[in-house]
Amino acid sequence: MKILIPNTIELPVTADVETVVYDIDAEIPAEHRDAEALVVWHNSSSWLREAARALPRLCLVQALASGADAVLNAGFGADVRICSGRSLHDGPVAEHALTLILSAVRRLDRLRDAQREHVWDEAFNEEQSAAPTRALYTLSGARVTIWGFGSIASTLAPFLTALGAEVQGIARTAGERSGYRVHSDADAAAVLADTDVLVSILPATDETADLFDAELFLALKPGAVFVNVGRGVTVDEAALIAALESGQLRAAAIDVAKSEPLPASDVVWDAPNLLITPHIAGNRPVGAARLVNQNVTRLLAGDDLLNQVHP
C-alpha cells in the first residue's frame, strides 16, 4: 500500500506501507497517483477536488482537521473511506477557546487598544469594579452555553467549571455528556435567553450555515458574549456586526471567518468590541501519527476505521 503524507506536518508512519511526502501546493506526481491512502492537512479545496479526480485507487482519506467537511465536499468516490481528525484537537482548541472567552469577558481587546494609545484606562477600572457591572467581567457565576457538545466541549467544560461558570450544552439530541446537561437544538431559544457566554464549536454543514443570524443573536440574553472556534460559515457576519454595534452583544471573539484569510478590506475587521485570531485554535493536531498508523493498520486488516465519516 502507498500512502501520501503532506509536507505540512511531520508524520512518522510505522505501518508496513510505502510512504511518500507530497507538496500540498503542487500537483501529485504521476508516479504516485496509484496511492491507496491520502493524509490531508491544510490542503486547499481546489487541491482536494483535483486529488479526488487524479487518485483512482484511493481507499482512504485521513483528514487531520477535527471536521472533514472540506474533504467530504471534494468529490471523492462513494467507496472511498473518509476519516476525520476528531480528538486530535481537543486540547489545543479547548485551550484557545478558553483564552478567547476570558479575553472577551474581561475585555482585553479594549485594554490592548488603551495600551497602544498609552492610556491608563481608569474608566474601565471603574466599570469593572462597579456593583451593577461587576458580574460582567468574570466567569464566576456566569452561564456558559457550548453549542456543539462533542469531545472538544467535554475538554473545555471542566476548565470553565473550575472558574465558577455554570456550563451547559446544545446539540442535536438532548442528554447528559461528560457530566453536563445538553439541550436539543429545538430548545435553543429558551437556553439562549439565559446565556451570558455562547461558545460555538459547530462544524460546517447545510444545517449550520448562517445559523448564528440576527434572530439568534436577539434570542441571547442582552449583553452576552459570543465566541466562535467552530467554522466561519455558521455565522451571518453582518448580523454579528449589527449585534455588536447595538450592544446586544457586549463583546465577541472569533477564530474563524467566512473568507479565510480574511481580506484586509473586510468590514469584519472594524466591528466594535471584536477580537479576531487567524484560525489557529486547532493548528496543532496532537496524536496525528498514532491515528494515521491505527487507521492504516485497520484498513490493511479489513477492520473498522476510527473517526470514519464516509461512507
Side-chain angles (χ1 to χ4, degrees):
M1 173 179 286
K2 179 183 290 186
I3 178 171
L4 301 182
I5 305 293
N7 64 343
T8 47
I9 187 171
E10 186 175 340
L11 202 65
V13 176
T14 58
D16 187 19
V17 294
E18 177 187 356
T19 61
V20 175
V21 176
Y22 69 91
D23 184 345
I24 68 164
D25 295 316
E27 290 185 358
I28 301 171
E31 65 269 26
H32 297 311
R33 295 187 177 187
D34 58 347
E36 294 155 283
L38 171 69
V39 179
V40 298
W41 178 238
H42 289 326
N43 302 66
S44 69
S45 296
S46 59
W47 191 98
L48 291 170
R49 288 194 295 271
E50 176 58 20
R53 185 197 65 79
L55 300 174
R57 297 186 60 187
L58 210 57
C59 300
L60 166 66
V61 179
Q62 175 65 66
L64 299 185
S66 56
D69 43 287
V71 179
L72 291 168
N73 294 329
F76 287 98
D79 58 340
V80 176
R81 287 192 264 186
I82 297 173
C83 298
S84 75
R86 183 174 57 85
S87 81
L88 300 183
H89 303 273
D90 292 358
V93 175
E95 183 180 279
H96 195 73
L98 179 62
T99 301
L100 293 183
I101 293 166
L102 288 169
S103 296
V105 167
R106 298 189 70 88
R107 294 306 311 277
L108 295 192
D109 59 308
R110 173 174 166 178
L111 297 176
R112 178 61 177 174
D113 290 344
Q115 179 184 346
R116 288 199 182 99
E117 298 298 324
H118 297 188
V119 172
W120 193 265
D121 198 337
E122 294 285 4
F124 181 90
N125 195 324
E126 293 173 4
E127 291 170 21
Q128 186 190 41
S129 59
T133 59
R134 188 181 300 142
L136 298 178
Y137 294 89
T138 180
L139 284 177
S140 180
R143 178 162 290 180
V144 180
T145 300
I146 304 175
W147 202 329
F149 210 97
S151 58
I152 294 172
S154 295
T155 302
L156 172 63
F159 295 137
L160 299 169
T161 299
L163 292 171
E166 180 185 332
V167 183
Q168 59 187 343
I170 300 177
R172 281 178 292 185
T173 56
E176 184 176 296
R177 302 187 187 182
S178 302
Y180 293 91
R181 184 181 182 188
V182 176
H183 305 268
S184 71
D185 291 339
D187 297 324
V191 175
L192 297 177
D194 198 29
T195 291
D196 297 297
V197 180
L198 175 60
V199 182
S200 172
I201 317 181
L202 286 171
T205 66
D206 291 341
E207 292 74 24
T208 62
D210 283 334
L211 174 66
F212 298 99
D213 58 10
E215 182 179 358
L216 188 142
F217 287 130
L218 282 173
L220 274 169
K221 182 178 180 179
V225 166
F226 174 65
V227 173
N228 187 13
V229 291
R231 288 291 184 266
V233 296
T234 64
V235 178
D236 178 337
E237 291 175 343
L240 172 63
I241 294 170
L244 287 164
E245 289 176 340
S246 70
Q248 174 64 17
L249 288 177
R250 185 171 73 93
I254 59 173
D255 183 57
V256 289
K258 278 192 171 179
S259 179
E260 295 182 6
L262 192 63
S265 60
D266 200 297
V267 294
V268 173
W269 287 112
D270 299 314
N273 308 327
L274 176 64
L275 177 66
I276 301 173
T277 58
H279 204 152
I280 56 171
N283 210 25
R284 297 173 286 123
V286 177
R290 182 174 61 252
L291 176 62
V292 171
N293 279 296
Q294 286 177 320
N295 268 348
V296 169
T297 300
R298 285 168 175 260
L299 183 65
L300 290 170
D303 295 334
D304 292 339
L305 303 183
L306 302 173
N307 296 355
Q308 185 169 329
V309 295
H310 178 272

